[in-house]
Structures are given as C-alpha cells and as structure tokens.
Amino acid sequence: MLLHGLAAGRHRNDYLGAINSIPRNSRLMYVHSYQSYIWNTITSRRLKQFGLKPIVGDLVMVGEKEASAVELEEDANAPPTKVRVKAVSETDVGNYDITDIVLPLPGHDIEFPHNEVSEWYKDLLAVDGLDTEKLKHKVKDYSLPGAYRKLVTKPVDLSWSVISYDDKTESLLLSDLDRLNHQEEPKSKPDGQYKALKIEMTLPSSSYATMAVREVLKMDTSAAHQSTLNDDGAT
C-alpha cells in the first residue's frame, strides 16, 4: 500500500502523502508499536540491571490514579492529559516498591528518570536517528507527547484451578458468546488423562496475561512453543 501510494501520481515524491495512504488505525499502530519497543527494551534492561527494587531517580506518579489513566498515547489526536510524576530521592526511596515505579514511553512532553536510565533512552533513540524533539511533528498523528506505564503491575481478582480432561481439542473455557448463551462451564474429569491450569485475573490496559503466566511458569508462552508441547506428548 505504501509503494502504491508512492507510485500514484498525486503522491510521487510526497512521502508523507504516501504514508497517509495507509489506513489511520494501522499508521497509529506502527507509531505506538515503536514507542512500546523502546519501552520494552528499557524495561528489560532496568529489571536486569537493578532488579525488583526502586532506585534513586526512578519516577513515580504524584497522587492516586488508576493504572488505566497512565496511558496517554492511545489516540494521538486526543487532548493530552497531563500526568504528574516526580523522581524518587534518597530520603523517600524506602516509601515505594517496584509497583509504584513508572517508565515513560518516549515523547516530546514527558519526564525521563533522573538516573542513568535516561541515557539509555537517548542512546536507543539515537540508533534510529531520533531524539525527543524529533518526536514532535506538525501532523498530530505523528506527534508523540509520550506517556507513562507501570514498570511492574500486580494482577487483581486472581484465581486458579486445575482441570483434568481427555480431549486435546476440547475447549476448557467459555467464550463471551457461550456465556451469553448460558452454556455451562466445562467440568474437570477426575480421571482425565491431561491436566490444565486455569488462571483468571484482572489487568489494567497495556498489561498482558501471557506475560504474567510466563513469569509464573518460567517458560516460553509463545504460540509457536506451546504448539510443540502436544507434539512432545506433554500434559
């Protein structure tokens, strides 16, 4: 579609016009995915280097806010909601735990941590020829003010159970449609050949159950790996 936009007469040598030929939702997804890539890379390094404890210069949100309010980048055209953050100091670092710490998605209107993590952002953006000023654009769709996400989130409403079953193709969960049709929950079979762990939890926006399960099981939760387990005869 991008090449088609460039080849079209009205967009020849008009790179922005060619990009705009891509549906808006897709364009925004690409931009936000880049922000998430930077955030994920920095988060992995932060946890590997400093572990699950706050350090001086980390950022925390000022005042009580729901986790969903941290996300500001979902609609680039939405009026920005200013989130206040402050840096943890030597005198109050003991007042926080790892679930209080936030890291920014890169943007032109956010505050970076007051420690070496800030340099990590600059170095990673520089690899792609970017800095925070270049994340500001006259076209709103491509202007990224930035946002904050919790470094670590604890799930709530957590429950789990073990289900025994025989048929590998049998669905062990009800879909929303099943629930609307008042179908009964699948029941565990006492003498079932296989066992499944059923976990239910509530997570805020931009947090994923697959990551929570990965941390619990300490194994690869990708679809590609999981599909091999049946081939190996795993339960």
Side-chain angles (χ1 to χ4, degrees), residues 213 217 219-232 234-235:
V213 171
L217 301 180
M219 67 183 297
D220 188 349
T221 55
S222 68
H225 174 74
Q226 292 295 309
S227 66
T228 67
L229 299 183
N230 286 340
D231 298 335
D232 296 336
T235 58

Side-chain angles (χ1 to χ4, degrees), residues 47-234:
L47 292 173
K48 181 178 181 180
Q49 187 156 331
F50 296 113
L52 295 172
K53 65 179 188 300
I55 62 173
V56 173
D58 278 341
L59 299 179
V60 294
M61 297 179 68
V62 177
E64 292 296 324
K65 288 182 179 289
E66 294 295 327
S68 59
V70 178
E71 292 300 326
L72 306 182
E73 86 288 5
E74 294 301 327
D75 185 349
N77 286 321
T81 303
K82 190 68 175 178
V83 173
R84 294 178 57 212
V85 296
K86 77 179 191 73
V88 173
S89 67
E90 291 184 0
T91 58
D92 64 3
V93 66
N95 297 335
Y96 302 101
D97 64 36
I98 196 64
T99 60
D100 296 313
I101 306 305
V102 297
L103 281 177
L105 284 96
H108 61 78
D109 192 27
I110 48 92
E111 185 172 346
F112 288 99
H114 295 201
N115 51 36
E116 66 181 88
V117 177
S118 177
E119 295 302 315
W120 301 351
Y121 277 94
K122 293 178 183 178
D123 293 343
L124 196 54
L125 288 170
V127 170
D128 296 313
L130 295 173
D131 56 37
T132 55
E133 283 304 307
K134 290 181 179 178
L135 298 180
K136 184 184 296 185
H137 199 280
K138 61 183 179 181
V139 179
K140 285 187 177 181
D141 281 357
Y142 309 121
S143 187
L144 304 176
Y148 301 93
R149 286 182 183 170
K150 289 291 185 74
L151 180 63
V152 174
T153 297
K154 283 185 178 180
V156 296
D157 304 323
L158 179 64
S159 65
W160 63 274
S161 60
V162 174
I163 300 176
S164 298
Y165 64 102
D166 290 318
D167 184 357
K168 294 180 181 179
T169 64
E170 178 184 1
S171 178
L172 303 178
L173 297 172
L174 293 181
S175 67
D176 291 340
L177 180 59
D178 293 335
R179 296 182 188 279
L180 289 173
N181 291 331
H182 306 291
Q183 292 192 24
E184 291 186 4
E185 289 278 353
K187 292 183 172 55
S188 180
K189 298 178 180 179
D191 300 321
Q193 182 180 359
Y194 306 107
K195 294 184 184 297
L197 175 63
K198 177 182 176 181
I199 303 176
E200 297 183 63
M201 68 185 75
T202 300
L203 293 168
S205 172
S206 297
S207 298
Y208 301 95
T210 49
M211 298 297 98
V213 171
R214 185 187 68 182
E215 292 305 307
V216 170
L217 301 180
K218 300 301 181 184
M219 67 183 297
D220 188 349
T221 55
S222 68
H225 174 74
Q226 292 295 309
S227 66
T228 67
L229 299 183
N230 286 340
D231 298 335
D232 296 336

